[in-house]
Amino acid sequence: MNILIAGAGHMGKWLLQELKSEHDVTVLDIVDPELQPHPNVRFINDEKELLNSSFDLLINAVSLNNTIKAFETIIPHLNKDCLISDIASVKTGLKEFYSDSGFKFVSVHPMFGPTFGNLQDLSSENAIIISESDKTGKCFFIDFFKKFKNIFFDYTFEKNDRTTAYTLTT
């Protein structure tokens, strides 16, 4: 699979490390000198470099406040059969964005982070896959999370946000 990861913060870097051995990965962000070259990885820092590229999946791993803005910047450069996805914890505005985008989508919420999750053992960590997501995208992320023995849940956009609000208040 040819995957584009937007954002090389903590989650973007972690996704890159986990996906690069099985997939061709392009990372769109300011190149971090700590990221090691790999035969299946290409680094770019301008969405114009996406021209003449064909991706199967975009994983939007930018900060929560910039998720929709990143989509709006990137998707004009994508082929229409590219599956778009986010890993945002809060899904406010994403349901409407996806509905208007014309792209198939998958929305997930890994309820752990590489800064506080035990990345050597994620078996006690949870992930949410949004039920309105495309079936192919759901299967991709279910297989991905199964690799780590994550516990995953199928929630609507609304239930995800209620659950996230509840967990943040406790």
Side-chain angles (χ1 to χ4, degrees):
M1 185 177 278
N2 195 6
I3 299 174
L4 171 62
I5 298 174
H10 293 295
M11 283 301 284
K13 286 179 191 173
W14 177 74
L15 287 163
L16 167 63
Q17 295 305 316
E18 297 303 327
L19 294 168
K20 71 182 182 184
S21 64
E22 297 176 31
H23 304 280
D24 292 323
V25 180
T26 299
V27 177
L28 173 61
D29 201 341
I30 298 168
V31 178
D32 183 337
E34 291 181 18
L35 293 172
Q36 299 299 312
H38 187 277
N40 292 352
V41 179
R42 175 172 73 129
F43 297 99
I44 60 175
N45 61 12
D46 187 335
E47 69 276 355
K48 293 177 186 89
E49 295 180 63
L50 297 173
L51 294 174
N52 303 317
S53 297
S54 180
F55 297 100
D56 303 304
L57 174 65
L58 160 64
I59 301 175
N60 188 339
V62 302
S63 65
L64 181 61
N65 293 338
N66 292 310
T67 302
I68 291 177
K69 182 180 176 184
F71 275 136
E72 291 170 341
T73 302
I74 296 167
I75 65 173
H77 304 283
L78 298 178
N79 45 307
K80 275 301 199 185
D81 58 340
C82 180
L83 182 67
I84 62 174
S85 67
D86 73 276
I87 59 167
S89 55
V90 178
K91 305 295 183 184
T92 304
L94 284 169
K95 181 177 182 178
E96 295 78 15
F97 174 81
Y98 284 132
S99 177
D100 295 342
S101 75
F103 282 82
K104 295 182 295 180
F105 72 90
V106 57
S107 186
V108 299
H109 175 187
M111 296 184 74
F112 57 89
T115 56
F116 62 85
N118 176 4
L119 298 181
Q120 277 57 53
D121 181 14
L122 291 172
S123 62
S124 64
E125 301 292 348
N126 301 316
I128 294 172
I129 300 175
I130 300 300
S131 57
E132 294 96 328
S133 297
D134 177 78
K135 183 179 178 181
T136 304
K138 283 183 181 181
C139 289
F140 175 84
F141 278 103
I142 287 170
D143 289 344
F144 179 73
F145 290 130
K146 278 184 179 177
K147 200 167 68 167
F148 305 102
K149 300 180 180 151
N150 289 133
I151 302 160
F152 53 92
F153 300 91
D154 188 43
Y155 285 2
T156 63
F157 282 104
E158 292 79 13
K159 186 170 182 181
N160 174 80
D161 284 356
R162 282 194 311 273
T163 301
T164 301
Y166 174 77
T167 58
L168 291 173
T169 59
T170 56

